[in-house]
Amino acid sequence: MRGAKSAKWVAGAIVVALAATACGGGSDKSDDMNAGKADPNGILIAQLSEPQNPLQPANAKESQGSRVLRAIFSGLVDYEPGTGKLVYVNAESVTPNEDSSVWTVKLKQGWKFHDGTPVTAKSYVDSWNWSANVKNNQTNSSWFQDIKGYEDVHPEKGDPKATEMSGLKVVDESTFTISLTGSVSYFAYKLGYDVWAPLPEGFFKDPKGYGEKPVGNGPYKFETWDHKKVIKVRKFDGYTGPNKAKNGGIDFKNYTTAEAAYSALRSDQLDWIEQVPVTSLKNYKQDLGDRAIDQEYSAVQSIVPAFYTDQFKDINPKVIQGLSMAIDRDTITKTVLNGTRTPADSYVARGVLGYKAGALGDVVKFDPAKAKALIKEGGGVPGNKISIQFNADQPHKPWVDAVCNSIRQSTGVECIGDSKPDFQADLNARDNKQVKSMYRGGWVLDYPVNSNFMRDLYGTTAAGNTSGYSNKEFDELSDKADKAKTLDETVKMYQEAEQLLKNNMPAIPLWFYKNNSGQSKNVFGKIVYGQDGDPLFTDVQVKAKK
C-alpha cells in the first residue's frame, strides 16, 4: 500500500542504513545532466495514477494521493536524509513528558496557508478532530486512536458522543498538547505522516470542495485537477519551511500503463517515472545511461489473503505457510524481475528500526515438498484454487504469473491473476471487501519504526488492514509494545510480535523493493530519493530551455 510520508532515512543507534546514493550505470551512454543551467521556474512532469480519494490529509493511505498531499501540505516534523534525525518543519519543538504519554507541540511563527490565513495550534487540533470523527469517513482516522477521547468521536458503532477528542488542548496560538491513552515512545516519529497535517478554517465549511481543490501550507499550492489526466501544483512563494521548491511546480500526469509512461520518459515528454516496466528492466540502464535509477528503499511486496472470504475465513495458517514456501523467490527476482528485487525475510522492510534479518526463517524459503505437506496438514486450499488481485497500470502481471506458476508446479493448487484496470479500482475492491481470494500488497514506510509494518497493517482496527485479519494476541502485544518506556523496548517487543505473525501468517512477504526508475534529459543534475522511494521533489531542478 500506500506508502507514505517522505521518511527519507532512518534514525537511531540500532538502525540499519540503506545506501545513500541512487545509481545508474551499466552502459557506455553518458548524458551530461549538469550541462546548461537550471530554471527556478521550470515545471517538472512526474508520473501519477489517479488518487483513490479526495485530497484530504487523512484520506490517503496509498502512494498516489499521498504524493500530491506531501507537495501541498507540510507537517510538524520530517526526517533528515542520510541520518534519519528528526527535523522540525512547522514545529518549533515536540516535547514528551517523563513517560511519553503527554506531548507538547510549539509551532514556528509566521506560517500561512496558501489562502493567506495563519497556521495556528487550532489549525492542527481542528484538523485532527475532524479527521478522527467517524461521520467524516476518513480512511486513516485510526491513526488518531492513541489520543484520549478518540473513542468518543469514533465509536465502533453508532454516532459520536463528542466532536472533539479530550486529549487535544490548545494552550495558545502557537502551542497545543496531546494527551495519549498511554505511553508511546515513538509518537514524534508518527507525526511525520500526512494524516497529521493542519487544515485552514475554510476547509470545515466545505470539506468536499476542499478535497477537490485543497488549500495547504506546503511548498506547493494546488492549481488544477483534471481527473485521471493531470494534477498541477505550483511553487508557493510565501512558504517559509526548510524545503522550499527549487522548481516552479509539478504536473502529476496519469498514464494507463507503465509501458506508456516509459515511452514518454524516453522521448523526454515525462521527467520522472514511478517504475520501469518489467519488460524493460533488462535494458533500461542501457536505454537511460546515467539517468537510470537503481536504489533500494523501505518497502515490502506481499500477497494477502482476504480473510473475510469463505475461502480464507477459517483457514489453518499452515495452508498459508505452505503457499509461501511454494514460491521460488530467488528465481523470480533474478529472472522475471532481473535482479531488481531482494527476497523478503521479514514483514519489516530493510532500513527500518527493528528490521531483523532472517526473522521469518524457513517460512519464506522455497521448499516444494514441505509446501505440499503443510497445505495437506492444514486441510488444503478450499476449492484448490486461488487468485491474486493486482492493478494493471503498473507492471505486476509478469511476477504475478510467475508466482502463480511456482505455486501451481510446487503444490498442484491452481493459481491465476485477477487484474484491475488501475490502482484506484484495486484499492476500492479491497476497501469494499470485494477481493475474491488474495491481493497484491505493497507497503512503504510511513515512519521508520518496525511498528509501522505490523500494527498499522495487521492490527484489527488499523486503517491499513483491508484483509479482515484479526488476532487478539497480536493486538494485545502491540498495545504493550507501544506503552514501553523506551523506543528500544518498543522495537524489541515488536520483534517478538513478528514471530507471532510468522506463526499466524496474515500475509505472504515476497521481496523488498528497489526503485528502478529514471529521469528525462530535462532534469538538471541527479534526482535524490527519500527512503519512501519518491524523489525529494522540492530539490529537483529543471533545465532552462535553450
Side-chain angles (χ1 to χ4, degrees):
M1 178 165 108
R2 140 100 216 116
K5 177 65 181 173
S6 187
K8 301 172 183 69
W9 296 105
V10 291
I14 55 174
V15 172
V16 179
L18 294 177
T21 306
C23 56
S27 167
D28 293 331
K29 181 189 290 188
S30 179
D31 298 304
D32 190 351
M33 292 178 288
N34 295 307
K37 63 180 182 178
D39 177 4
N41 296 312
I43 304 301
L44 180 76
I45 303 174
Q47 184 185 8
L48 188 85
S49 296
E50 177 77 356
Q52 183 189 17
N53 296 317
L55 294 171
Q56 300 155 326
N59 215 7
K61 62 181 177 184
E62 40 79 27
S63 57
Q64 309 303 304
S66 182
R67 190 171 293 149
V68 181
L69 287 169
R70 289 198 305 271
I72 298 170
F73 290 91
S74 283
L76 297 168
V77 303
D78 204 339
Y79 315 96
E80 184 178 89
T83 68
K85 179 183 176 183
L86 208 63
V87 173
Y88 293 128
V89 182
N90 195 184
E92 184 69 45
S93 62
V94 180
T95 310
N97 66 347
E98 191 173 337
D99 70 350
S100 300
S101 64
V102 180
W103 296 72
T104 300
V105 177
K106 291 186 179 294
L107 301 179
K108 292 176 181 175
Q109 300 291 322
W111 275 59
K112 293 185 181 299
F113 287 104
H114 301 150
D115 62 4
T117 59
V119 179
T120 65
K122 191 173 184 294
S123 306
Y124 281 92
V125 169
D126 287 351
S127 173
W128 300 359
N129 279 324
W130 185 90
S131 298
N133 194 304
V134 68
K135 285 193 170 183
N136 297 323
N137 197 33
Q138 296 294 283
T139 190
N140 275 333
S141 56
S142 66
W143 277 75
F144 302 99
Q145 64 187 345
D146 290 326
I147 300 173
K148 282 184 178 179
Y150 172 78
E151 67 281 359
D152 293 329
V153 301
H154 199 107
E156 289 187 19
K157 294 180 180 179
D159 292 333
K161 300 175 183 176
T163 57
E164 298 178 352
M165 290 180 280
S166 59
L168 297 178
K169 301 292 183 186
V170 173
V171 177
D172 57 42
E173 192 172 74
S174 59
T175 310
F176 66 101
T177 59
I178 311 163
S179 296
L180 308 179
T181 55
S183 302
V184 181
S185 59
Y186 60 94
F187 189 72
Y189 282 91
K190 299 182 73 170
L191 294 175
Y193 185 32
D194 314 332
V195 70
W196 305 98
L199 287 166
E201 286 186 19
F203 172 90
F204 305 102
K205 299 173 184 175
D206 184 17
K208 185 177 180 181
Y210 273 66
E212 290 294 314
K213 298 179 179 180
V215 174
N217 67 325
Y220 298 97
K221 60 183 178 180
F222 173 85
E223 188 169 274
T224 60
W225 184 358
D226 189 355
H227 284 275
K228 295 201 173 184
K229 292 182 180 179
V230 64
I231 295 174
K232 296 183 179 183
V233 299
R234 294 296 179 260
K235 177 168 60 179
F236 177 47
D237 290 329
Y239 184 65
T240 57
N243 54 328
K244 292 183 180 181
K246 296 179 182 178
N247 52 61
I250 309 168
D251 286 355
F252 290 107
K253 195 171 181 181
N254 187 284
Y255 289 84
T256 54
T257 66
E259 287 76 14
Y262 186 57
S263 177
L265 180 80
R266 292 187 66 188
S267 61
D268 297 314
Q269 299 173 53
L270 178 65
D271 297 324
W272 173 76
I273 188 174
E274 184 170 14
Q275 177 63 46
V276 172
V278 171
T279 51
S280 300
L281 285 174
K282 186 175 181 179
N283 299 316
Y284 87 103
K285 291 182 182 179
Q286 293 175 326
D287 292 343
L288 300 177
D290 291 342
R291 295 181 291 112
I293 304 298
D294 180 12
Q295 176 186 328
E296 188 171 321
Y297 63 104
S298 293
V300 181
Q301 183 93 275
S302 60
I303 50 177
V304 187
F307 290 98
Y308 51 79
T309 61
D310 290 339
Q311 183 175 43
F312 287 105
K313 189 180 295 180
D314 299 309
I315 201 79
N316 188 318
K318 288 184 178 181
V319 174
I320 305 175
Q321 289 176 333
L323 291 172
S324 177
M325 296 181 75
I327 301 168
D328 189 352
R329 294 166 178 79
D330 285 332
T331 297
I332 294 171
T333 53
K334 287 175 183 175
T335 57
V336 178
L337 296 170
N338 283 281
T340 61
R341 302 288 185 272
T342 304
D345 57 1
S346 170
Y347 281 108
V348 179
R350 298 201 296 196
V352 170
L353 191 61
Y355 162 75
K356 190 174 182 179
L360 297 183
D362 291 342
V363 170
V364 290
K365 292 180 181 177
F366 183 51
D367 188 335
K370 183 68 172 175
K372 201 168 186 177
L374 279 169
I375 291 173
K376 185 176 180 180
E377 287 173 32
V381 175
N384 204 44
K385 180 179 180 180
I386 60 171
S387 61
I388 302 172
Q389 178 179 298
F390 66 94
N391 51 302
D393 58 344
Q394 288 295 320
H396 299 304
K397 187 178 187 302
W399 70 255
V400 169
D401 288 345
V403 166
C404 277
N405 286 337
S406 188
I407 289 173
R408 187 185 304 113
Q409 292 170 12
S410 298
T411 67
V413 174
E414 181 57 37
C415 178
I416 59 171
D418 180 12
S419 173
K420 300 299 177 187
D422 53 34
F423 197 30
Q424 184 183 46
D426 176 33
L427 292 169
N428 286 339
R430 299 188 210 176
D431 288 346
N432 295 325
K433 299 193 183 305
Q434 295 171 342
V435 176
K436 299 169 187 174
S437 179
M438 306 180 84
Y439 62 84
R440 176 199 74 86
W443 187 263
V444 187
L445 88 170
D446 298 309
Y447 55 93
V449 182
N450 59 354
S451 58
N452 184 228
F453 285 81
M454 286 185 271
R455 177 191 173 184
D456 296 324
L457 265 180
Y458 307 122
T460 299
T461 60
N465 185 347
T466 54
S467 69
Y469 176 79
S470 182
N471 184 310
K472 185 177 179 181
E473 188 179 353
F474 173 74
D475 290 340
E476 290 174 349
L477 187 51
S478 297
D479 287 341
K480 187 177 177 182
D482 286 348
K483 292 176 173 59
K485 291 182 179 180
T486 68
L487 181 58
D488 279 357
E489 289 178 80
T490 294
V491 166
K492 288 176 183 176
M493 291 175 73
Y494 269 108
Q495 288 176 330
E496 294 174 22
E498 184 171 15
Q499 293 308 299
L500 190 155
L501 294 181
K502 171 186 171 182
N503 295 328
N504 211 234
M505 293 300 286
I508 299 174
L510 296 177
W511 38 75
F512 299 128
Y513 276 88
K514 273 190 176 183
N515 194 333
N516 303 107
S517 178
Q519 62 189 63
S520 78
K521 294 176 182 177
N522 301 323
V523 175
F524 185 84
K526 194 79 170 178
I527 290 177
V528 177
Y529 287 76
Q531 195 179 339
D532 63 351
D534 268 5
L536 307 186
F537 281 114
T538 52
D539 284 349
V540 178
Q541 295 179 289
V542 179
K543 287 184 179 180
K545 295 191 187 315
K546 295 179 181 179

